[in-house]
């Protein structure tokens, strides 16, 4: 079958009534998640994993169909949150999530000038165009890249996973040391349970830990429950004042000014998103810097320039789609949210990677087709319903927090009916709060937990094939190159930082 045949099959899957409902629910919930400051796409996706399991079982779907429907809903939450994150940036000068930080620079100034509707509309249009460009790139790149990855052996897969961990650790948080510590913690947690040889590790004689630390419990605890603890302990219940929304649609001049930045941001964001660990935040910053550099009037930036909204918003949405490529084709999550999505797929016994397109074409192509459907839904929803989503921002915490806790407890308990999981849920929530408070990034913990078992399996198999020769990871050319890139990803920022400090010392001296 050709790529077009697979794509048509994907649309047939995505356009079934229940998958349309899942896609619609995902983008609506995702927009709401993006609008609510502090929750973010990673927390939203983690929180809804158990909900998808309940919904798909209620519909009586088969294993393959259940996995497809669940990932369609969760992906909808992911790129829906990218849309929604701009709303708080523009109306409140409070980014809904990190990739919308740059949008606030000019978006909020536009809102103060009475142009909030134009900023929100351009944000929605830019996100839609970026989503379509990313989808086309995904169709063109995904299958050839997965065919290339089929040539990988055990050592190459191990080295590729090392690269994924180094990439996320190298770009997560303010301190690389703290990010590496969190990665190591995730890998340590992944060793709890029964190993390949049937030996018990770090279970302390308890049969409850034989299955290891559950990914879902840890993800929901660290992000969703951690956010609840933050709101309660820091008493973050200040009154919210919204900027007034007048006209909802941009002028012809604003559309003309936005066309170039939207296209440039979309392509830039897509290619940055493909890089493991780069993420939407980096893409939005790069887009803003580029637009300011090429502008004939750079002094307008920071004062309400429409280009400062159009470029970064297109870039962060394109990066979100681009991050799906290494996840689907190589089995390497490029960001914290895609790590959560990978964990969800594994829960449904669907292994992301080069065999995904041959073993589970319904899941792979159904997801790709649903991304187009979801982007159309988002454009239709975001333009006329901007005022409605803006009202969500002012939801009082006394209503919001109990809902989050209820969904978390219900979701985690329903998976294994274990009280122990609830203890882990709240303990990880408390730990997550203190980690974030002290600038320890949480995404590397999840990435280490997800990739740990696969890294161990590939390392064991590579060593079995090489009769215990550790040099196999270096002597095989592709594996050696991947390890070299991994080392460079960590060392180059450290070297540049040290050089910067030495230059500063010399100047002061």
């Amino acid at each position: 079958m050709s790529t077009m045949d697979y794509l048509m099959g994907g649309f047939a899957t995505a356009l079934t009534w229940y998958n349309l409902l899942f896609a619609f629910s995902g983008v609506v919930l995702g927009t709401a998640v993006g609008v609510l400051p502090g929750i973010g796409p990673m927390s939203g996706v983690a929180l809804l994993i158990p909900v998808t399991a309940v919904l798909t079982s209620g519909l009586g779907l088969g294993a393959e169909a259940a996995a497809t429907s669940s990932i369609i809903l969760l992906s909808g939450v992911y790129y829906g949150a990218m849309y929604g994150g701009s709303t708080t940036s523009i109306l409140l000068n409070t980014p809904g999530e990190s990739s919308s930080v740059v949008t606030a620079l000019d978006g909020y100034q536009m809102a103060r000038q009475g142009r909030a509707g134009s900023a929100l509309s351009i944000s929605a249009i830019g996100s839609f165009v970026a989503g379509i460009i990313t989808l086309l790139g995904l169709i063109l790149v995904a299958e050839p890249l997965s065919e290339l990855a089929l040539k990988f052996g055990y050592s190459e897969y191990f080295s590729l996973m090392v690269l994924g961990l180094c990439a996320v650790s190298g770009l997560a948080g303010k301190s690389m040391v703290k990010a590496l510590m969190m990665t190591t913690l995730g890998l340590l947690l992944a060793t709890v349970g029964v190993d390949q040889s049937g030996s018990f590790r770090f279970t302390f004689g308890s049969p409850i830990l034989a299955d290891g630390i559950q990914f879902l419990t840890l993800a929901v605890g660290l992000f969703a429950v951690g956010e609840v603890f933050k709101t309660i302990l820091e008493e973050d219940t200040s009154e919210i004042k919204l900027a007034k929304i007048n006209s909802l649609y941009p002028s012809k001049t604003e559309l003309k000014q936005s066309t170039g930045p939207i296209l440039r941001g979309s392509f830039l964001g897509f290619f940055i998103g493909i890089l493991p660990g780069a993420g939407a935040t980096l893409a939005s910053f790069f887009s803003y810097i580029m637009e300011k550099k090429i502008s004939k009037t750079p002094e307008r930036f920071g004062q309400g320039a429409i280009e400062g909204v159009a470029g970064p918003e297109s870039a962060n949405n394109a990066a979100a789609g681009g991050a799906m490529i290494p996840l689907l084709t190589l089995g390497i999550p490029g960001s914290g949210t895609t790590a959560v999505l990978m964990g969800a797929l594994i829960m449904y016994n669907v292994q992301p990677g080069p065999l995904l397109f041959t073993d589970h074409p319904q899941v792979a192509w159904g997801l790709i087709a649903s991304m187009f459907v979801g982007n159309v839904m988002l454009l239709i929803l975001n333009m006329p319903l901007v005022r409605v989503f803006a009202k969500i921002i002012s939801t009082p915490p006394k209503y919001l927090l109990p809902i989050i806790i209820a969904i978390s407890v219900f979701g985690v308990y329903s998976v294994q009916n274990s009280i122990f999981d609830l203890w882990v849920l709240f303990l990880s929530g408390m730990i997550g709060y203190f980690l974030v408070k002290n600038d320890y990034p949480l995404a590397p913990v999840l990435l280490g937990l997800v990739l740990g078992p696969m890294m161990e399996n590939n390392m064991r198999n590579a060593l079995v094939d090489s009769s215990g020769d550790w040099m196999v990871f270096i002597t095989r050319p592709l594996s050696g190159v991947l390890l070299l890139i991994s080392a460079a990803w960590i060392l180059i920022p450290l070297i540049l930082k040290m050089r910067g400090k030495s230059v500063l010392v010399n100047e002061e001296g």
Side-chain angles (χ1 to χ4, degrees):
M1 289 177 71
S2 66
T3 299
M4 284 306 298
D5 291 331
Y6 279 120
L7 184 60
M8 289 301 101
F11 273 107
T13 299
L15 293 174
T16 56
W17 71 268
Y18 52 87
N19 281 334
L20 283 172
L21 185 60
F22 276 103
F24 179 77
S25 302
V27 297
V28 170
L29 290 169
T31 305
V33 163
V35 161
L36 291 167
I39 295 182
M42 198 168 354
S43 302
V45 172
L47 191 61
L48 289 170
I49 290 174
V51 176
T52 62
V54 173
L55 290 175
T56 52
S57 64
L59 289 171
L61 300 177
E64 190 93 348
T68 306
S69 298
S70 296
I71 203 67
I72 284 174
L73 189 150
L74 296 174
S75 299
V77 174
Y78 181 23
Y79 49 82
M82 292 297 169
Y83 270 73
S86 62
T87 304
T88 48
S89 291
I90 292 166
L91 297 180
L92 294 175
N93 201 26
T94 305
E97 31 83 31
S98 60
S99 62
S100 296
V101 169
V102 184
T103 307
L105 299 178
D106 283 279
Y108 185 63
Q109 293 302 319
M110 288 182 68
R112 292 183 65 186
Q113 296 163 16
R115 298 159 61 206
S118 295
L120 290 165
S121 296
I122 285 296
S123 171
I125 293 166
S127 298
F128 174 76
V129 173
I132 300 305
I133 289 174
T134 300
L135 180 64
L136 293 174
L138 191 59
I139 293 166
L140 293 172
V141 174
E143 200 163 14
L145 194 58
S146 65
E147 288 174 4
L148 173 66
L150 282 172
K151 299 174 182 176
F152 282 24
Y154 294 123
S155 54
E156 284 81 7
Y157 268 116
F158 172 80
S159 300
L160 186 64
M161 290 170 191
V162 171
L163 173 59
L165 289 174
C166 289
V168 171
S169 299
L171 293 168
K174 299 175 184 177
S175 167
M176 186 183 293
V177 174
K178 289 181 177 179
L180 288 171
M181 288 171 65
M182 293 297 96
T183 304
T184 305
L185 175 61
L187 291 172
L188 286 172
L189 291 174
T191 62
V192 176
V194 181
D195 71 0
Q196 268 188 317
S197 64
S199 302
F200 285 77
R201 298 183 301 192
F202 308 114
T203 59
F204 306 102
S206 171
I208 296 174
L209 288 172
D211 291 331
I213 303 295
Q214 296 299 313
F215 162 82
L216 173 64
T217 306
L218 195 68
V220 175
L222 286 176
F223 292 102
V225 178
E227 193 61 38
V228 170
F229 280 126
K230 178 187 174 186
T231 305
I232 294 171
L233 295 174
E234 296 184 4
E235 298 181 358
D236 186 14
T237 57
S238 53
E239 186 179 345
I240 292 172
K241 295 180 181 178
L242 297 175
K244 190 176 180 182
I245 301 173
N246 298 319
S247 172
L248 283 178
Y249 303 104
S251 64
K252 288 183 179 178
T253 304
E254 287 172 327
L255 280 171
K256 187 177 178 181
Q257 290 173 330
S258 303
T259 302
I262 285 172
L263 293 174
R264 285 189 291 270
S266 298
F267 284 104
L268 177 69
F270 174 71
F271 288 110
I272 289 177
I274 292 175
L275 298 173
T281 304
L282 201 65
S284 62
F285 272 98
F286 278 177
S287 175
Y288 189 85
I289 292 166
M290 180 175 70
E291 293 304 322
K292 191 173 181 180
K293 286 284 184 186
I294 66 176
S295 175
K296 294 178 181 177
T297 53
E299 66 277 2
R300 292 171 50 246
F301 283 76
Q303 306 299 318
I306 192 78
E307 300 93 327
V309 174
E313 274 301 304
S314 303
N316 74 37
N317 279 272
M324 300 295 282
I325 289 178
L327 171 68
L328 297 177
T329 59
L330 303 175
I332 297 296
S335 65
T337 310
T338 49
V340 178
L341 288 172
M342 182 175 179
L345 281 169
I346 292 170
M347 278 180 59
Y348 284 98
N349 295 317
V350 174
Q351 179 62 58
L355 293 175
L356 178 67
F357 287 84
T358 53
D359 292 352
H360 304 281
Q362 180 185 344
V363 177
W365 290 104
L367 169 61
I368 290 171
S370 77
M371 290 175 70
F372 174 79
V373 175
N375 272 287
V376 172
M377 287 178 174
L378 278 167
L379 184 66
I380 295 169
L381 282 171
N382 275 263
M383 297 290 279
L385 297 181
V386 161
R387 288 190 176 94
V388 176
F389 284 120
K391 290 290 183 184
I392 296 173
I393 300 169
S394 52
T395 303
K398 65 180 180 180
Y399 300 124
L400 184 62
L401 299 185
I403 292 171
I404 293 174
I405 289 292
I407 294 173
S408 301
V409 170
F410 169 76
V412 167
Y413 185 75
S414 65
V415 174
Q416 293 196 133
N417 298 327
S418 170
I419 296 295
F420 175 77
D421 282 350
L422 296 183
W423 284 108
V424 173
L425 174 74
F426 287 103
L427 180 62
S428 58
M430 186 64 76
I431 291 171
Y433 163 70
F434 285 109
L435 288 174
V436 171
K437 189 175 176 64
N438 292 284
D439 293 322
Y440 285 89
L442 300 179
V445 180
L446 278 189
L447 197 59
L449 184 66
V450 169
L451 292 183
M454 290 182 284
M455 285 181 68
E456 183 181 4
N457 290 343
N458 282 292
M459 184 183 73
R460 279 175 181 262
N461 291 328
L463 291 174
V464 168
D465 286 352
S466 65
S467 301
D469 182 8
W470 287 88
M471 292 300 291
V472 68
F473 297 107
I474 299 172
T475 53
R476 288 180 67 98
L478 186 53
S479 177
V481 168
L482 290 170
L483 288 177
L484 189 64
I485 296 171
S486 303
W489 211 296
I490 296 294
L491 293 175
I492 288 175
L494 290 175
I495 292 168
L496 291 175
K497 191 174 181 181
M498 290 171 66
R499 283 186 64 185
K501 284 183 178 178
S502 64
V503 169
L504 188 64
V505 170
N506 291 335
E507 286 178 352
E508 289 175 350

